[in-house]
Amino acid sequence: MKQAGLSVFQDTAANLIGRRTGRNRRLTPIWIGSHTDTVKNGGRFDGTIGVIAGIEIARVLKDNHLILEHTLEIIDYTAEEPTEFEISTVGSKALAGNLSDDMLALKDGGGRILGETIREYGGDSDTLLQAARNKGSVKICLELHIEQGPVLETAGNILGAVSGIVGIRHFLVKVKGRADHAGTTPMTQRLDALAGAAEMILALEKISSRRPDPASCVGTVGRITVSPNAANIIPSSAELNFEIRTLDGQLLETLSSSFTLACRDIAARRDLTLELATLSPTDPVFVDPGIVNLIKKACTLATDHCQEIASGAGHDINQLACFAPVGMIFVPSRKGRSHCPEEYTDPRSIAIGTEALLNTVLEINKRTPA
Ligand code: GLV
Ligand code: MN
Ligand code: MN
């Protein structure tokens, strides 16, 4: 960031910000940002390319002695991916004023507290509220990201102008049964927490497969912890992370209720104890059609191969949309793979995406009356 001529600082939520001051200081800043944290065993491109694209745009402006009307801020948002503290998009939640005291008090498995960890990374949980932005205080939040799915590659396109981003409901489910001997306890007398949890997993699969269009709704259990996790003991407890995603806010509510009901029925039928907590919900976001069109034009200047696309992945934009207009550009993911070691995007596509992002910034700047 410094080499690209940016002045660099962190806000109280540890978001890393590089600023290039614009000509007209009364204008609100244009933001370009993404994240540099990753998921387990993946994520070399997920997030990172968006931060690097922003820095590259700052470098191009510097090298060409171009001063925008607006101040440009390149942001590496704190902890976008799910954290050890069960919540994701930590930095952008703070910017949206959605990081509550309860969230700051969350502990990870080792007993570390989220608020203190933010401080360790350069933020300050005591003054965290200062990170929150008012509505209208940012001109637009832009992000370049990998698609993380197969749509662009299948269509032979290089760029996607994002029209909407899914909403997500997360559930932390604890199923409690009773540990017993795996050889001597008759099948009719068991309180098997894992067998109950398995039924809940299949219930989620069924509930989220109800829609004919598979891309419009998905449900996943990505994590399960079983106790005591021994081959010859009937599991006494299972803890699972469930999530449901769709672009349709109403459907998200309906499916969440169906899932909750199914869990309660399964637990009651099996005499298991159920604790079901909902973790910070994310609502679907629709990009303003005027912005989608502006971005499509900016993409067309960089390549003929572009289309509109919906995002099945969640992004910081879901939070940022609470206080500013948003826009996103996608580049293809090879074989649609992401959140795995095979995640890859051709550097030429990233360069074309970066060019489209620069075109977007220049167009927004041009439309601002001097
Ligand atoms: C972010 O990576 C997500 O889970 O969509
Ligand atoms: Mn990710
Ligand atoms: Mn990401």
Side-chain angles (χ1 to χ4, degrees):
M1 280 181 169
K2 284 181 180 159
Q3 281 172 15
L6 298 168
S7 54
V8 184
F9 60 98
Q10 280 184 290
D11 69 5
T12 55
N15 293 303
L16 180 67
I17 304 170
R19 176 178 289 160
R20 180 174 174 80
T21 303
R23 204 186 317 268
N24 187 342
R25 291 181 188 220
R26 287 194 312 272
L27 294 175
T28 49
I30 295 173
W31 282 9
I32 295 178
S34 198
H35 60 98
T36 51
D37 62 324
T38 66
V39 294
K40 265 187 190 168
N41 305 329
R44 286 185 301 150
F45 295 80
D46 172 359
T48 315
I49 69 148
V51 177
I52 292 174
I55 296 171
E56 172 63 2
I57 286 170
R59 190 190 66 77
V60 167
L61 293 175
K62 173 176 171 272
D63 288 356
N64 290 281
H65 309 288
L66 272 169
I67 309 281
L68 299 177
E69 294 299 321
H70 292 264
T71 289
L72 180 67
E73 292 183 340
I74 313 303
I75 309 186
D76 178 357
Y77 301 109
T78 303
E80 189 267 358
E81 300 285 4
T83 60
E84 304 87 326
F85 303 92
E86 299 292 355
I87 60 167
S88 57
T89 58
V90 174
S92 52
K93 273 195 176 77
L95 290 162
N98 287 339
L99 198 59
S100 64
D101 286 341
D102 284 353
M103 289 177 188
L104 287 172
L106 288 168
K107 287 187 182 158
D108 72 2
R112 287 193 313 170
I113 295 168
L114 176 58
E116 284 169 15
T117 311
I118 289 176
R119 198 190 316 255
E120 265 172 50
Y121 281 80
D124 180 4
S125 53
D126 291 338
T127 55
L128 200 93
L129 285 182
Q130 291 171 12
R133 302 302 170 113
N134 294 326
K135 242 187 175 144
S137 62
V138 176
K139 176 74 180 166
I140 189 167
C141 303
L142 297 168
E143 179 165 1
L144 177 76
H145 204 281
I146 57 169
E147 179 202 331
Q148 310 186 266
V151 174
L152 290 175
E153 190 178 76
T154 306
N157 282 327
I158 299 174
L159 297 181
V162 176
S163 53
I165 302 155
V166 289
I168 312 176
R169 292 290 178 270
H170 299 277
F171 305 88
L172 182 61
V173 175
K174 286 185 194 164
V175 186
K176 287 197 182 132
R178 195 180 62 214
D180 276 310
H181 195 292
T184 58
T185 317
M187 293 308 282
T188 50
Q189 291 178 31
R190 297 173 174 224
L191 299 180
D192 185 333
L194 182 57
E199 252 198 82
M200 292 172 196
I201 295 173
L202 293 179
L204 178 76
E205 189 179 48
K206 200 165 166 194
I207 286 165
S208 39
S209 306
R210 259 182 221 153
R211 279 240 153 159
D213 168 9
S216 64
C217 171
V218 290
T220 308
V221 180
R223 191 168 69 167
I224 175 161
T225 313
V226 180
S227 182
N229 205 20
N232 60 355
I233 306 175
I234 296 166
S236 57
S237 80
E239 202 174 308
L240 304 93
N241 288 68
F242 289 81
E243 56 153 71
I244 302 174
R245 304 183 182 212
T246 162
L247 257 180
D248 179 337
Q250 185 56 49
L251 184 68
L252 203 49
E253 296 312 324
T254 312
L255 297 182
S256 299
S257 313
S258 308
F259 170 67
T260 309
L261 273 178
C263 288
R264 294 200 200 295
D265 281 354
I266 293 162
R269 181 162 36 77
R270 288 175 165 269
D271 234 347
L272 300 167
T273 312
L274 179 74
E275 285 173 32
L276 192 149
T278 48
L279 304 173
S280 68
T282 306
D283 289 328
V285 163
F286 291 91
V287 180
D288 179 89
I291 295 172
V292 177
N293 277 335
L294 186 151
I295 289 178
K296 268 205 267 183
K297 274 190 199 141
C299 289
T300 315
L301 291 175
T303 173
D304 288 337
H305 303 283
C306 55
Q307 65 171 93
E308 237 177 87
I309 188 168
S311 175
H315 295 286
D316 288 304
I317 292 273
N318 288 82
Q319 295 297 325
L320 306 174
C322 295
F323 63 90
V326 294
M328 269 194 111
I329 299 174
F330 277 176
V331 285
S333 293
R334 187 167 69 190
K335 294 195 165 74
R337 306 288 308 281
S338 181
H339 281 188
C340 58
E342 292 81 6
E343 179 179 287
Y344 183 78
T345 296
D346 180 352
R348 279 168 301 192
S349 306
I350 300 173
I352 292 168
T354 306
E355 193 185 325
L357 189 59
L358 173 61
N359 294 340
T360 306
V361 169
L362 293 177
E363 181 59 27
I364 291 167
N365 192 62
K366 198 169 96 187
R367 289 186 185 186
T368 299

